[in-house]
């Protein structure tokens, strides 16, 4: 972290400044308030707190005490359990300031300033993700769930549009190639809708597409995604009426990424059988492992499908946690820097594996992308965002036909285009101000993420170099499940003793986690959260491991750490040794030798 | 507004106090931060702002300026355009304070304090809405959209459960009465699921219900709701795959409420034809008109259906804006006060029409209720909430079987039960602190709402008494579309001249609104937002009106005002006269005589 960006976070040296800034914010707000409500000025009673203010005082100070005592200590350099970054003061200050004026970005009528900021954010995020800001669009949401829901809603609705166009007598002639109906390329569907809109038949076609959806798409269509996906994805698909028979979950490969070979095989089969591929969902930074799917190869495969079969499919990328890492490879003109240049000039960015670099570079080929400012974007909750390659996609879910081909970044309301309605303008202010001070490129916010990448590499090295420990005469190992693609690490403890079963190893790791939790609350809070791996995946990673099981889907408890900050190597090393010491004590005291 | 609750809002007299409170909040936070990151203490450079802080200073003060100049002036006593209440300082302060610690209520692991507060809020909202806190459940959301999505998702999923139970060989014997399958009462489905869960077949049945959903429910099942619903409802139904053929929209009655007679007729027909009623959606405070549906009669009708046919249906109430008005009729033990008692002891609460009182009283018979703290609950965005009569309902969408019959208010995570994932703990703090200081009853937050009811009555009276104005020799009238049920008023301007058509009146009102907007920006911001009424409804309200049209669905532009505050009658009167003056000028200048 550079000295100047360090100053954006709480330090003794800026404590006074923070209070002075809040004073100005409050004075400005009171001046505004009095201008609009002159009677407020006259009430000067209670320059000393009145009874009711005393009651508020008590409530505020009690809650402040409680938060100080019981909150998770994410500010600690030693805290690496959950996905928490430090928050720049400016984000909290502008959030608070804007909240006082309480704008709602559902429509500019009640949020003239913050809707304008959100329009600037659309450009920021298009630039970050490689979309053309003139034809793409990004908007804020409450978080990854809402973003994924919205994108998948669009993907689902789009899928039956060609059937509707074919069925309607007036528009059927627009479909030249009926063989393409089932898996029509997204840009082609949008072009057809442009024509339909010009004919004044947009609403009719969209409604008909709804009526035809089940028989044409949902009866046997498929969404393909990794079985390692967050449970949020099960909610998303169920919400949209995409049931178990519509979902093909793909086992991860040995890097904990979606297995592309398996995807190619299944998609080819689906296309050849004329079965609709509703969408393929890929991950840039899976929630559990932080793994980055090999997007480049997948986009290439999609191009081949289009060439060979004239068919294609929607690709959504859930980059809620990982999308911001694209900033690491961008120069200050939002251009991707060549990998070799990173090697020479950006050693920290060069820490990215070449295939991860490629995926980040090629991200803009996705039709839509979920990215969470409240994960790697250094803003407090609630900050989500969803971006679309083609802004016409949002019109698919807008309820009024007049919106097609238009877009909400000019004078129209955001509300009819988005899954959500009321959205706090304060979030726009927080994200906007962070983006202004820490631009979404290698020299801005990317600096902070490079620090996290360095920390992760150091942590992984330390585990590798100090992975064995003795409890009395018995040897135990700590194994990294994989080399992190980004900044999440999963590891497990196994006895060196031959003949240990997979289930026994699971029991040991569960016991260790439980004891670390109950014996020393600090550990669960500071050092790890929980994760799991099934036997099938485990054997892909450690094909020579002694640990055996008869059940492919039996699972093993893992320790998961999120390294979202700059931690000196010596400090991590100290923590690690302390952690191994605790493990040793537990194993001995619990007779696990 | 009582003197003591007035002190909770910005006044000259508490400006110093607000700043002092923020100082304490900041000092507490810095102390916490330094405790966890001792290095922060050492960096004392920059007791004067560094360059980077100067940059932040500039950004913050520019944004503060901009917000002060361009924000909508909701603090003004004259502002009655949109649904904006004043915000008590404690809500903004505790929101800010909590945001500094940045908890996420997706799981208590990252939000120990604010998840505990949200559990208390569940009790608050159950008490407000009349649910039993021990068997009901309420949780926060990002707003009314998310709340409605979640409740309707549950209603939809629940509907095909009986089919799955019947189809599974092991559970089919649980269904004694096959005639009840199509429209089985909600409590009965839940009781069946309890038995299924005991048999260890919960997941299996829920998945099967998903597969059977289309053919059993979505092929011809219906959701019934008012055609006056907010466009959010079109989004909701489409998201859930409930298409146009599944939706029966009911024209409003002459009070702008859902027409119960029409509902009875259609539901009876559906039940007799053995067609699934997926859900009936009713409104307590429609977004456009603030009208309160006659719930009591509807609940009574549902009871009759159960008696006569053994069939029933899910009722969801969208009380996003109106739900808080139940506080007006509650004593401090959360008991509903008899209407006659209100007359004697609570003249302001007695302003509620008897049928509105009855609807609020009987609200707890709904299966689920949407209520927005950021609408009538005096907290900033984003504050939504959804409440369930039976907490088992949320398990229907939880992805893991183990959750059935359990509930997230003890030690479990909220995440798997809710539509949303990451949810800011700061919202819980804001809502919780407002509820503590202004309890959700007649003597607490209800006081503020009674003030709004009084203001609305005064406004309606003023329009009635000053509804005609002359432009030169030509007479014009301003008509209230209805007597407000809560605090929203819709009105229109019509020339007294005989032979004016409905379409001409629409054109006049559009022109007036446009001119008021462009000529004097204050008016659109301060006095009204827009609304519409179709000819069919208009004729129900004004059956003797001269305005005629040949098209039932042609619409007339309305002026809509939201009276969410305590405004002295003299002040409203002044505003009204000024408004009429502006109308006069425009009509004259635009040659609309």
């Amino acid at each position: 972290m550079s000295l100047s960006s360090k100053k954006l976070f709480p330090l003794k040296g800026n404590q006074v400044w923070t209070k002075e800034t809040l004073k100005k914010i409050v004075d400005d707000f009171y001046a505004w308030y009095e201008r609009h409500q002159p009677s407020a000025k006259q009430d000067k009673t209670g320059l000393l707190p009145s009874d009711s203010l005393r009651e508020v005082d008590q409530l505020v100070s009690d809650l402040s005490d409680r938060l100080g005592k019981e909150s998770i200590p994410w500010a600690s350099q030693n805290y690496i359990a959950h996905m928490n970054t430090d928050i720049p003061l400016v984000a909290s200050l502008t959030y608070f300031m804007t909240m006082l004026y309480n704008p709602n970005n559902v429509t500019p009528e009640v949020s003239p300033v913050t809707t304008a900021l959100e329009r600037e954010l659309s450009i920021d995020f298009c630039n970050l993700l490689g979309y053309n800001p003139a034809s793409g669009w990004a908007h804020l949401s409450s978080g990854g769930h809402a973003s994924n829901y919205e994108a998948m809603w669009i993907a689902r609705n789009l899928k039956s549009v060609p059937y509707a166009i074919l069925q309607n007598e007036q528009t059927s002639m627009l479909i030249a190639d009926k063989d393409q109906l089932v898996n029509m390329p997204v840009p082609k569907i949008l072009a057809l809708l442009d024509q339909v809109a010009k004919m004044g038949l947009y609403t009719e076609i969209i409604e008909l597409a709804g009526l035809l959806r089940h028989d044409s798409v949902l009866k046997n269509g498929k969404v393909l995604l990794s079985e390692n996906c967050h449970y949020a994805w099960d909610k998303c698909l169920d919400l949209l009426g995409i049931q178990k028979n519509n979902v093909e979950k793909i086992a991860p490969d040995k890097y904990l990424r979606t297995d592309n070979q398996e995807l190619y095989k299944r998609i080819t089969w689906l296309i050849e059988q004329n079965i609709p591929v509703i969408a393929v969902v890929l991950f840039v930074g899976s929630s559990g492992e932080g793994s980055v799917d090999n997007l480049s190869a997948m986009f290439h495969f999609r191009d081949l499908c289009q060439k060979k079969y004239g068919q294609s499919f929607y690709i959504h990328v859930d980059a809620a946690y990982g999308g911001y890492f694209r900033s690491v490879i961008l120069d200050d003109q939002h251009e991707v820097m060549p990998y070799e240049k990173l090697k020479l000039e950006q050693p920290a960015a060069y820490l990215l594996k070449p295939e991860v670099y490629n995926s980040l570079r090629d991200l803009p080929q996705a039709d839509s992308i979920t990215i969470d400012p409240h994960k790697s974007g250094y803003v407090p909750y609630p900050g989500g965002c969803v971006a679309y390659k083609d802004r016409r996609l949002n019109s698919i879910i807008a309820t009024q036909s007049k919106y097609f081909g238009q877009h909400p970044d000019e004078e129209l309301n955001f509300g009819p285009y988005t899954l959500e309605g009321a959205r706090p303008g304060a979030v726009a202010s927080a994200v906007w101000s962070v983006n202004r001070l820490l631009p979404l490129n290698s020299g801005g916010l990317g600096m902070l993420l490079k620090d996290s990448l360095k920390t992760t590499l150091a942590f992984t090295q330390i585990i590798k170099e100090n992975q064995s420990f003795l409890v009395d005469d018995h040897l135990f190992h700590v194994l990294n499940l994989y080399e992190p693609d980004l900044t999440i690490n999963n590891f497990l403890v196994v006895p060196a003793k031959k003949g240990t079963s997979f289930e026994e190893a699971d029991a040991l790791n569960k016991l260790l986690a439980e004891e670390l939790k109950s014996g020393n609350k600090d550990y669960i809070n500071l050092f790890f959260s929980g994760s799991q791996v099934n036997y099938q995946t485990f054997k892909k990673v450690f094909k020579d491991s002694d640990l055996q099981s008869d059940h492919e889907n039996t699972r093993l408890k893992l320790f998961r750490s999120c390294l979202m900050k700059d931690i000196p190597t010596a400090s991590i090393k100290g923590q690690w040794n302390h952690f191994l010491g605790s493990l040793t004590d537990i194993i001995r005291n619990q007779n696990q030798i």
Side-chain angles (χ1 to χ4, degrees), chain A residues 55-69:
Chain A
E55 199 184 333
V56 182
D57 257 341
Q58 194 59 46
L59 183 144
V60 170
S61 73
D62 286 353
L63 187 54
S64 189
D65 272 3
R66 207 169 152 189
L67 285 165
K69 281 185 192 130

Side-chain angles (χ1 to χ4, degrees), chain A residues 393-409:
Chain A
L393 283 167
N394 268 73
S395 300
I396 302 293
I397 54 166
T399 37
Q400 288 132 303
S401 63
K402 63 172 175 173
Y403 292 113
F404 196 75
Q406 295 192 48
H407 32 82
D409 67 345

